[in-house]
Amino acid sequence: MIAAATVTVKTTVARRGYEGRSHSLWCADAQVAEQYQWFETAFMANPFSGAVSSTDPFALDPQQGRAAIARGIGARQAAWPFTPLVIGELDEFIDRWARWLADAATGRLEHPSQMPERDPQGSWRS
């Protein structure tokens, strides 16, 4: 891991306690050793942990994130695959976040219908 950032969208019109979402942006060699690039990912509370968050999915710092994807059952787990962010191929990323931002601004941002939203398994190297 050489750098990390977070992208967040929150609404002032919380629906059933849901305030928004955040994703982690990590510059790491998450898929191929020594091949560093930016990745988008996000996390969720383990459904059996009883934890509830007003932000779901949510970003984690790299140390917490590594613990969440380590083998074994923990309080947090991956909710979004490690998705490479490639210059010139960011249309889907930009469109998705613009849509979530517009939904938040108009009070239509809702909790994802399923968690994890996208299957994260196998998207990072062990």
Side-chain angles (χ1 to χ4, degrees):
M1 176 74 51
I2 58 174
T6 299
V7 61
T8 302
V9 63
K10 289 206 172 221
T11 184
T12 57
V13 183
R15 299 179 113 182
R16 294 182 292 272
Y18 183 67
E19 295 179 357
R21 66 186 306 130
S22 64
H23 287 205
S24 298
L25 303 179
W26 294 353
C27 186
D29 60 346
Q31 293 179 339
V32 178
E34 302 301 317
Q35 184 177 322
Y36 289 87
Q37 66 184 95
W38 282 98
F39 292 91
E40 175 188 16
T41 191
F43 301 89
M44 62 186 247
N46 181 316
F48 302 109
S49 72
V52 177
S53 174
S54 63
T55 304
D56 204 19
F58 49 84
L60 290 176
D61 67 48
Q63 184 176 358
Q64 294 171 320
R66 281 192 296 270
I69 62 174
R71 297 187 193 271
I73 297 176
R76 298 175 181 142
Q77 63 190 53
W80 194 272
F82 279 73
T83 306
L85 298 176
V86 179
I87 300 297
E89 298 176 14
L90 295 174
D91 290 348
E92 191 272 336
F93 173 84
I94 294 167
D95 290 347
R96 181 168 29 86
W97 280 96
R99 185 173 54 254
W100 289 332
L101 180 62
D103 286 347
T106 59
R108 294 188 319 240
L109 186 66
E110 294 185 357
H111 190 277
S113 60
Q114 68 178 31
M115 291 295 285
E117 287 180 282
R118 296 183 181 176
D119 184 10
Q121 296 305 313
S123 66
W124 64 86
R125 65 184 178 84
S126 316

